[in-house]
Amino acid sequence: MIRRHVNKSISQLLKKINIMNTKILNVSLNRKVENLSYPIIIGDNILSSSGEILKEFIYKKNVIVIYDSFFSVKTSPNNEFEEFVQSINKLTTTLNFIDIPGGDQTKNINQLNEIIEKVLTNGIDRQNVIIAFGGGVIGDIAGFAASILLRGINYIQVPTTLLSQVDSSVGGKTGINSKIGKNLIGSFHQPQAVLADINILKTLPNREFRAGFAEVVKYGLIKDLEFFNWLNQEYDSIFIYDKIKLQKMITKSCEIKAEIIKNDEKEGGKRALLNLGHTFAHAIESFGNFDGRIIHGEAVSIGICLAFRLSNKLCFCSTDDTKKVINLFQKSKLPTSLHDIKKISISTSGMIQKFKLDKKNRQNELTFILNKRIGESFIKHNVSVNVLTQFLNEEI
């Protein structure tokens, strides 16, 4: 295993610099030629110690930080981004910055080109390291830039949203959107490390935090009934930022994702289960032109509810389980139906066309992730267009 020593060395380092109550997970990927592992460090108020924690990856390196411009205009006296910068600045040879706006409209070819040109203008070699500091959009586009600059340079994920901490920062999916659909341009490029600070979640708007919760629920629905039941019991504490429960929730989500991708790095099989609800969600988002009327986690909430309703309609999943899922999202103040989208016009024929662009499809057969019960998702190939048309006509 390459970098297999990382967890032990980081664990020892955290004790040495007196950082307690921090979880370290290992993402281990079984490749045919080589195996790869990297750490996910999950803690509270650890950004001010980022330099020490990430020393192995950034010491005497030229580092480019690609960050959400939200942090450059933040006026809070405790600016987490500034703490992060001051901490890593002590260890790098040079430190350059590129700020870009968050939001899915940023994930486009023009913004990618602008990032690449700025990096190249500053000078680059294969020892450079990119750090993505922000939510899922920042991580996706910065990671994609890292994957194609000089045919691949190292990068580190510092996710700052709940959605990115539990999902998009882990697993190496990078990319941008096309005018045709979401995430159709991209690559698999694994980070060297993921550093998730629970404390920074308090900077999130409430809407963004709740949207991220949809991705958390997804993990319980895919393969862990016990986790789903725990979320159903503890969601109130989670939404008032109980740090112990937040850490448990983020850690468990990352554990489930790491286990799924271990033997399927590039989504040739079971990794597709992580897309529960996303075929519907990506179609819904594209109708909104990624302009903020509906954000990713909200679309995922609706998408998962639609996936359970479709599972129920096809007699795979019980009505009782379907109601339990919808009820948790409703209690979490997330949308659960296409009727909850007030300002976006969606058509059945348009949704079907969007489905045909989904990356899970094989030989023109529509593929969906459905459920037999809470905690047991499966891949359903060759879902009939007629069935989907009838289903959507009832839902829209």
Side-chain angles (χ1 to χ4, degrees), residues 101 103-115 137 141 144 175-179 185:
D104 257 300
Q105 286 187 317
T106 296
K107 282 174 56 174
N108 62 68
I109 194 73
N110 294 329
Q111 184 69 71
L112 176 68
N113 185 62
E114 186 175 330
I115 290 171
V137 167
I141 196 168
F144 188 34
I176 57 174
N177 301 328
S178 159
K179 292 179 180 178
I185 305 166

Side-chain angles (χ1 to χ4, degrees), residues 20 30 43 131 138 155 159 162 333 342:
M20 304 301 177
N30 294 330
I131 297 179
I138 308 302
Y155 80 111
L162 179 58
K333 299 180 181 178
K342 303 300 183 184

Side-chain angles (χ1 to χ4, degrees), residues 103-105 207 285-295 343-344:
D104 257 300
Q105 286 187 317
R207 181 189 182 194
E285 286 180 275
S286 65
F287 275 102
N289 296 317
F290 311 111
D291 61 6
R293 284 177 290 174
I294 187 163
I295 56 179
K343 299 179 180 179
I344 299 174

Side-chain angles (χ1 to χ4, degrees), residues 141-155:
I141 196 168
F144 188 34
S147 77
I148 57 179
L149 281 160
L150 304 186
R151 296 190 175 93
I153 64 173
N154 288 325
Y155 80 111

Side-chain angles (χ1 to χ4, degrees), residues 92-127:
T92 61
T93 300
T94 63
L95 193 56
N96 291 303
F97 301 91
I98 300 173
D99 68 303
I100 58 176
D104 257 300
Q105 286 187 317
T106 296
K107 282 174 56 174
N108 62 68
I109 194 73
N110 294 329
Q111 184 69 71
L112 176 68
N113 185 62
E114 186 175 330
I115 290 171
I116 290 171
E117 292 300 326
K118 285 181 179 178
V119 171
L120 294 174
T121 299
N122 287 327
I124 185 174
D125 60 42
R126 285 200 170 93
Q127 296 305 307

Side-chain angles (χ1 to χ4, degrees), residues 285-335:
E285 286 180 275
S286 65
F287 275 102
N289 296 317
F290 311 111
D291 61 6
R293 284 177 290 174
I294 187 163
I295 56 179
H296 180 66
E298 293 169 343
V300 168
S301 176
I302 296 171
I304 289 175
C305 292
L306 288 172
F308 265 82
R309 289 190 187 108
L310 180 59
S311 299
N312 179 245
K313 181 180 179 66
L314 297 177
C315 300
F316 293 124
C317 181
S318 71
T319 300
D320 186 52
D321 273 4
T322 302
K323 287 180 178 179
K324 285 180 183 178
V325 172
I326 294 170
N327 183 53
L328 176 54
F329 284 125
Q330 288 176 337
K331 289 190 299 186
S332 304
K333 299 180 181 178
L334 286 163

